[in-house]
């Protein structure tokens, strides 16, 4: 029997959550006060959970490594958040959002979880508006929507290109209110380095105060991990520099299963790498694909001329351009899902049609959108015989109103003006669908240890649709966890404060201390970044957009080698008891060096292609991902065995009762 | 590019601190300012020295974590960008660059270029919110239409990233631009109006207690603000404050 019990409630799909909620045990308000909950992370997932739990009356202890909860990486999300509101009357519904998400994820997520997500999505928008989140509105004062990839309705709510910022500031303000009331004790510049388990239950964490370097013990009746994704294992990604897997990895090593670690999302529209000094990559929001058209030159000679600077993209006439997404996928065109768009870009660049010096870039062009909007505006304003340049100006204003900050960001980084010449873009690591395995209650395999947001594996299968991560983070934190955790905590009303002096806390603290001392004592010759970059290169080349048996086996061997070298030759400057960013990095990279191997092992195990996981051995004649439902319609949940090179695999079969599994098509 | 860097080094909050000179070579115009700092730090580490501590995270101008006072300007010479978005093409070969932390009583130095901005969080906790609980049955999001102009202005104010450049560039170290951005955002929206009077009074009171200076309308903050937060917000906050006082 599998050790994985997903605890999905019985009953029809559309009744599961409401019936379950009605039966769940509650904790009365007086008892909540004496129950502590630790929440690690203040992004959308952790921030919303902390606020909601504190409002309910629990005593919350929240942690983040930045200097303020408002700076969690969710702040960087640009494009928008989905919700099945059907404000546009274009046929959207809970079922359709559910269906699109399962299909977009290439049939590798749980029906019940995804349906619940779609169900609560509308509440999120109501809640955020009530908090004062300034979403974009139309001239009638009502909320505006846009479209994202992989769907044919407009269900994405947005605030220019700063949706994540506005949603996070909403959650942060809700947190601030509870911090002011003393219901949340906020620990900024703190990093969780281990989970403490007492009598089989998660009862606290060990954290390092990043300002003083002190190692601290914190106890609670339950621990929520909302620490975000692990894309930085690739070194270069669109994640913030500090994003890391440490919290998730440490609970994995204490018994939580890591599910589908190889499911990573490579986002099609990012600013290409410009040189070796590069420290991170910048996303250009998917919302740009609403209006931008993606192309490369049709002829190799033109591509060569462009690469060597002998020709400009604007010199090429329409017939000499290959709008390859529109060509290959007429019904979704530029709005195919991310995995499909990324692979198509790689295919064109590998074939020699790339448009920058490295050959790894394609164009994202707004010229036709500018003219289209310009004409529309000229009509609205009743201009008679407007000139081309009038139209251009009007259209440019519309594009600026929609995407101004993204265009400015692009300009500042590349020194190219995207209003005049097409943007150059290339895929980059962006999001991780894999994460800690959780049941329907969002509890990991460790009792009382919950995992929410990007850190868990639950809702996006093998490929996440745009604008769905923000939705999931807030759904988990505002509307799911506050219910499900109550059911668990109902047993703890008489437990009283958990002591931090038990042997379990002392032991965990000692372990953390000795791991950090070990890193400091190596005193080798190479910086932490040196190893991180090497790991990233192996991951990108062999565990990236296309994977095969040979490459994955090589990757495993190479990662082990880098890891060995790291422990012999890394130089971590400074001391333990001080503000020491190098030590922080070293301990994160140590975990990435183990996770990288697990990702390769998982990718090797999954001999099918699905969503963002593309095994070259498994493709259709047209080069699309070919699933193998007979053998791989399962969640691969890896258990730590005591030896990182030999994890144990547990399978949770994915059962589809409401959706028929078919080959995904966006043609 | 070859550059001379003069950087503030300070071991801890109680250390006196001083400017230290570092020559650096092979800097490419496409590098960001922080990538240039990474190069320097790697050199320091590999030669056995202590790297320079500076705050940063998103490196795309949105988290508000990076700071740095560069050649006498918060976030450096470019306009409308944060330090992490500043590129080396804005400097020229042979130049000397002075790099210092934000300096303000309410932002004590933690180490080198890193300062403590938690005073901003305390101002927010004193009123920077709408008192609504999470319930799942608040009114429908479209039940209260908001005039587009108000929504757009609220959004503009809400784009403040809480970086503190306004404080660092003000000779009085005033936090008026930061505080007024939040006060304005919520005052412009129907959802925020109920508590408007208490909010402005509480936030201003906390701001004063935290040791920020007074606003004397020099406008330096607006010039250096990477997000273009406008002085109109300060004017709006002053109006809100006056009307709250007479209530
Ligand atoms: C550039 C970019 C744009 C995006 N745009 C969109 C979009 O338009 N729509 C969409 O739906 N999704 C988008 N995404 C994805 C989405 O933003 C993220 O998946 C989501 O915000 C993750 O939220 P989270 O709360 O799970 O984690 P995060 O926001 O990453 O928060 C993690 C938190 O955990 C804390 N933390 C981590 N480790 C520790 C530790 N060991 N100890 C203490 N604290 C710790 C951090 O301090 C932080 O507070 C985008 C992602 C990127 C990178
Ligand atoms: S007002 Fe501008 S300068 Fe001040 S904190 Fe906000 S974004 Fe930074
Ligand atoms: S590092 Fe986030 S704004 Fe500069």
């Amino acid at each position: 029997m599998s050790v994985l019990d997903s605890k999905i409630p019985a009953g029809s799909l559309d009744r599961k959550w409401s019936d379950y909620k009605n039966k769940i045990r509650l904790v009365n308000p007086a008892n909540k006060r004496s129950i502590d909950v630790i929440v690690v992370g203040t992004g959308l997932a952790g921030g919303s959970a902390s606020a909601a739990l504190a409002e309910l009356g629990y005593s919350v202890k929240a942690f983040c490594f930045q200097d303020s909860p408002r700076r969690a990486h969710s702040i960087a999300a640009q494009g928008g958040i989905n919700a099945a509101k059907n404000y546009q009357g274009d046929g959207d519904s809970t079922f359709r959002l559910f269906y699109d998400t399962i299909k977009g994820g290439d049939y590798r997520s749980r029906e019940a979880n995804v349906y619940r997500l779609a169900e609560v999505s509308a509440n999120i928008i109501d809640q955020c508006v009530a908090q004062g989140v300034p979403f974009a509105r139309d001239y009638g004062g009502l909320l505006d929507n846009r479209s994202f990839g992989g769907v044919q309705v407009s269900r994405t709510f947005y605030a220019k290109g700063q949706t994540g910022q506005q949603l996070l500031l909403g959650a942060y303000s809700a947190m601030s209110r509870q911090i002011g009331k003393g219901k949340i004790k906020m620990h900024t510049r703190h990093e969780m380095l281990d989970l403490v388990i007492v009598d089989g239950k998660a009862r606290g964490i060990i954290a390092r105060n990043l300002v003083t370097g002190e190692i601290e013990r914190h106890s609670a009746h339950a621990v929520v991990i909302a620490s975000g994704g692990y894309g930085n294992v690739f070194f270069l990604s669109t994640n913030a520099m500090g994003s890391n897997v440490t919290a998730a990895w440490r609970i994995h090593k204490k018994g939580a299963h890591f599910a589908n670690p190889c499911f990573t999302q490579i986002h099609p529209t990012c600013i290409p790498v410009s040189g070796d000094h590069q420290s991170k990559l910048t996303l250009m929001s998917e919302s740009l694909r609403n209006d931008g058209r993606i192309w490369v030159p049709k002829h190799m000679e033109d591509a060569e001329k462009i690469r060597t600077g002998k020709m400009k993209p604007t010199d090429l006439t329409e017939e000499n351009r290959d709008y390859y997404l529109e060509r290959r996928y007429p019904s979704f065109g530029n709005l195919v899902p991310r995995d499909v768009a990324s692979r198509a870009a790689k295919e064109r660049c590998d074939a020699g049609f790339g448009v920058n010096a490295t050959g790894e870039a394609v164009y994202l062009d707004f010229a036709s959108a500018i003219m289209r909007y310009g004409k529309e505006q000229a009509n609205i304003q009743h201009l008679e015989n407007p000139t081309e340049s009038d139209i251009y100006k009007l259209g440019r204003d519309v594009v600026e109103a929609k995407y101004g900050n993204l265009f400015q960001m692009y300009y500042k980084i590349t020194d190219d003006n995207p209003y005049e010449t097409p943007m150059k873009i290339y895929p980059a690591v962006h999001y991780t669908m894999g994460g800690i395995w959780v049941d329907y209650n969002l509890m990991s395999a460790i009792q009382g240890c919950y995992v929410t947001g990007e850190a868990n594996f639950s809702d996006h299968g093998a490929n996440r649709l745009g604008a769905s991560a923000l939705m999931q983070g807030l759904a988990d934190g505002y509307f799911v966890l506050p219910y499900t955790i109550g059911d668990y905590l109902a047993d703890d009303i008489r437990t009283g404060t958990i002591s931090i002096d038990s042997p379990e806390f002392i032991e965990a603290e000692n372990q953390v201390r000795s791991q950090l001392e070990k890193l400091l004592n190596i005193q080798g010759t190479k910086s932490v970044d040196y190893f991180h970059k090497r790991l990233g290169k192996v991951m990108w080349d062999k565990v990236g957009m296309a994977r095969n048996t040979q490459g994955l086996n090589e990757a495993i061997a190479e990662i082990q080698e880098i890891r060995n070298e790291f422990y012999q030759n890394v130089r971590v400057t400074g001391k333990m008891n001080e503000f020491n960013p190098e030590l922080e990095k070293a301990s994160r990279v140590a975990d990435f060096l183990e996770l990288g191997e697990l990702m390769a092992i998982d990718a090797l195990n999954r001999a099918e292609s699905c969503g963002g996981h593309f095994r070259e051995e498994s493709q259709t004649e047209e080069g699309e991902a070919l699933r193998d439902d007979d053998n791989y319609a399962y969640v691969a949940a890896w258990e730590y065995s005591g030896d990182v090179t030999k994890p144990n695999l547990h399978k949770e079969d994915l059962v589809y009762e409401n959706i028929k599994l078919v080959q995904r098509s966006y043609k | 590019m070859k550059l001379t860097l003069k950087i503030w080094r300070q071991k801890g909050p109680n250390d006196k601190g001083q400017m230290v000179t570092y020559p650096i070579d092979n800097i490419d115009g496409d590098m960001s300012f922080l990538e240039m700092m990474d190069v320097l730090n790697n050199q320091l580490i590999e030669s056995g020295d202590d790297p320079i501590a500076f705050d940063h995270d998103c490196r795309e101008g949105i988290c508000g974590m990076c700071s740095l006072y560069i050649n006498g300007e918060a976030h450096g010479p470019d306009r409308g960008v944060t330090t992490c978005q500043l590129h080396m093409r804005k400097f020229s070969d042979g130049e000397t660059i002075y790099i210092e932390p934000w300096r303000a009583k309410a932002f004590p130095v933690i180490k080198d270029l890193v300062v403590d901005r938690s005073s901003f969080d305390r101002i927010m906790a004193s009123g920077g919110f709408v008192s609504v609980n999470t319930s799942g049955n608040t009114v429908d999001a479209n039940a209260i239409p908001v005039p587009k102009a108000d929504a757009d202005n609220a959004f503009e104010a809400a784009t403040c990233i809480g970086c503190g450049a306004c404080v660092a560039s003000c000779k009085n170290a005033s936090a008026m631009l930061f505080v007024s951005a939040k006060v304005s955002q919520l005052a412009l929206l129907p959802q925020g109006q109920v508590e408007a009077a208490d909010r402005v009074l509480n936030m201003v009171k906390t701001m004063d207690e935290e040791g920020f200076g007074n606003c004397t309308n020099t406008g330096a903050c607006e010039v250096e603000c990477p997000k273009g937060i406008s002085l109109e917000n300060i004017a709006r906050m002053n109006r809100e404050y006056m009307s709250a006082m007479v209530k």
Side-chain angles (χ1 to χ4, degrees), chain B residues 81-121:
Chain B
V81 296
T82 52
T83 294
C84 60
Q85 291 175 297
L86 176 65
H87 278 70
M88 295 312 291
R89 60 179 87 94
K90 295 284 166 198
F91 299 89
S92 39
D93 193 29
E95 202 174 327
T96 299
I97 306 177
Y98 292 82
I99 309 169
E100 293 169 82
W102 284 172
R103 296 203 190 271
K105 192 171 120 212
F107 290 166
V109 171
I110 292 176
K111 185 179 182 182
D112 295 340
L113 304 169
V114 175
V115 300
D116 177 352
R117 287 170 287 197
S118 52
S119 45
F120 270 11
D121 287 328

Side-chain angles (χ1 to χ4, degrees), chain B residues 22 42 51 76 90 99-100 104 111 125 127 135 143-144 149 161 170 175 181 191 214 216 219 229 237 245:
Chain B
Y22 300 92
N42 249 311
K90 295 284 166 198
I99 309 169
E100 293 169 82
K111 185 179 182 182
S135 63
I144 311 171
I161 58 175
C170 173
Q191 290 81 5
N214 291 323
T216 51
I229 302 296
M237 175 158 100
M245 290 287 279

Side-chain angles (χ1 to χ4, degrees), chain A residues 59-357:
Chain A
S59 298
V60 175
K61 304 175 180 178
F63 293 79
C64 70
F65 64 76
Q66 293 92 345
D67 71 337
S68 164
R70 67 180 291 153
R71 307 207 201 283
H73 180 53
S74 294
I75 201 90
Q78 302 173 346
I81 176 166
N82 289 332
K85 278 282 197 189
N86 195 25
Y87 282 162
Q88 306 304 324
D90 53 3
D92 201 8
S93 63
T94 300
F95 186 85
R96 203 177 280 278
L97 173 53
F98 154 75
Y99 176 81
D100 286 343
T101 307
I102 295 264
K103 175 185 171 195
D106 216 358
Y107 306 93
R108 289 294 175 266
S109 42
R110 272 190 206 138
E111 278 192 342
N113 285 54
V114 176
Y115 195 89
R116 175 176 67 189
L117 175 65
E119 218 176 327
V120 303
S121 67
N123 289 340
I124 297 173
I125 304 302
D126 299 341
Q127 181 66 31
C128 292
V129 166
Q131 288 170 344
V133 171
F135 285 118
R137 288 177 184 267
D138 60 23
Y139 286 95
L142 301 180
L143 294 162
D144 196 17
N145 292 113
R146 55 167 61 139
S147 276
F148 261 55
V151 305
Q152 291 177 316
V153 294
S154 277
R155 65 162 71 100
T156 305
F157 294 79
Y158 66 99
K160 271 207 180 155
Q162 288 118 292
T163 317
Q165 179 193 31
Q166 295 310 318
L167 295 173
L168 185 60
L169 294 182
Y172 164 67
S173 72
M175 276 185 87
S176 293
R177 174 170 164 240
Q178 299 303 322
I179 293 171
K181 287 182 175 174
K183 289 304 298 172
I184 297 179
K185 174 89 185 75
M186 184 65 228
H187 302 266
T188 59
R189 293 199 197 264
H190 271 67
E191 180 153 30
M192 167 191 166
L193 294 174
D194 211 350
L195 179 76
V196 183
I197 301 178
V198 182
D199 296 332
K201 291 180 169 175
R203 291 300 200 191
I205 64 170
I206 305 296
R208 181 163 174 272
N209 176 330
L210 301 180
V211 175
T212 62
E214 257 167 287
I215 312 283
E216 303 171 351
R217 304 176 202 165
H218 297 272
S219 71
H221 298 87
V223 176
V224 180
I225 304 292
S227 56
Y230 51 86
N232 272 349
V233 65
F234 289 85
F235 185 73
L236 286 182
S237 84
T238 64
N239 285 5
M241 300 299 288
S243 298
N244 68 87
V245 76
T246 291
W249 194 250
R250 304 285 164 103
I251 68 166
H252 170 58
K253 289 178 98 173
K254 283 274 164 101
H257 302 335
F258 213 111
N260 301 332
C262 81
F263 287 174
T264 43
Q265 177 162 82
I266 316 264
H267 194 294
T269 56
C270 303
I271 301 181
V273 176
S274 74
D276 291 338
H277 54 265
Q278 193 108 21
S279 59
K280 75 152 293 186
L281 296 170
T282 303
L283 175 78
M284 287 286 103
S285 166
E286 175 161 317
S287 60
L288 294 172
R289 286 198 274 143
N290 270 293
D291 286 314
R293 297 176 70 197
I294 296 180
W295 62 276
V296 292
K298 198 178 260 171
H299 306 291
M300 190 75 83
E301 316 82 77
D302 292 339
E304 270 156 21
K305 280 191 203 140
I306 284 178
R307 279 200 292 272
T308 49
K310 289 186 195 116
M311 189 185 234
K312 291 203 302 267
T314 42
D315 296 339
L316 273 183
T317 54
E318 285 296 308
E319 343 45 283
N320 291 315
R321 301 175 177 197
D322 176 14
Y323 294 93
Y324 57 86
L325 289 176
E326 296 169 29
R327 167 170 61 78
R328 287 178 65 179
Y329 308 101
S331 67
F332 282 72
N334 291 295
L335 281 174
V336 291
R338 294 173 175 177
D339 53 336
V340 177
S342 289
R343 273 198 296 278
K346 181 180 187 317
E347 188 278 328
R348 283 293 79 193
C349 292
D350 288 352
F353 294 91
V355 297
N356 68 353

